[in-house]
Amino acid sequence: MIRTAALSVMALALSAASTWSQDAQPAKGLQVELNAVAPSERGCVFTFVVGNGMEKNVARAKFEFVLFNGTGTVERMIVLDFRDLPQGKTKVRQFDLPGTQCDNVKRVLINDSPVCEGEGIAAGACMSGIVTRSNTPVGFEG
């Protein structure tokens, strides 16, 4: 009886795992992770991990970022050049922002993508379907 119950639980778990893996399809846009935020001699270094789940190579991408402080006030707006983002690949990009104090940044927003270029890339494609996540205590959204 215990053996039958154990087999039933295992079968149910395998069924749930199979259903989950079928539902978890790869994102069709860009996946951008704020991976690290660290003080530097000049200011604050932001490290991003970017995966291109689009069906095309992005030859050039720039994103407008908004940095918010602990009271929700905009501290800074800046456009960062992520260069090329090949389809199906993951890239790491680092940016040292002079004069920015890491401790003051509580939230980061990707406000827009003023440049998103590549063969067959439609206007706005870099923001369409973008998925963001943070591996830091700093909130991150797109």
Side-chain angles (χ1 to χ4, degrees):
M1 182 152 195
I2 293 175
R3 184 175 181 206
T4 304
L7 288 174
S8 295
V9 169
M10 286 175 51
L12 183 60
L14 287 173
S15 173
S18 173
T19 300
W20 180 82
S21 66
Q22 290 171 0
D23 291 341
Q25 296 179 2
K28 297 293 183 191
L30 298 177
Q31 300 87 49
V32 185
E33 175 188 85
L34 177 56
N35 185 266
V37 177
S40 71
E41 288 182 18
R42 297 174 51 194
C44 185
V45 175
F46 289 78
T47 302
F48 296 93
V49 178
V50 184
N52 181 353
M54 297 168 56
E55 295 180 1
K56 306 274 184 183
N57 291 322
V58 176
R60 190 166 159 228
K62 291 185 180 184
F63 295 98
E64 179 184 65
F65 284 85
V66 182
L67 309 180
F68 295 89
N69 64 22
T71 63
T73 303
V74 172
E75 285 282 320
R76 183 173 190 176
M77 291 180 73
I78 188 167
V79 175
L80 301 176
D81 188 351
F82 278 68
R83 304 186 314 264
D84 65 315
L85 301 170
Q87 188 272 330
K89 301 288 184 183
T90 301
K91 293 285 189 170
V92 175
R93 302 289 191 229
Q94 282 191 321
F95 303 94
D96 194 352
L97 304 184
T100 299
Q101 299 296 315
C102 293
D103 291 342
N104 290 345
V105 179
K106 302 302 178 195
R107 186 170 66 110
V108 175
L109 168 70
I110 299 177
N111 200 44
D112 193 13
S113 179
V115 175
C116 182
E117 300 170 347
E119 189 174 324
I121 299 287
C126 287
M127 291 299 292
S128 179
I130 194 167
V131 176
T132 58
R133 72 179 219 102
S134 180
N135 195 38
T136 75
V138 176
F140 185 47
E141 58 193 85

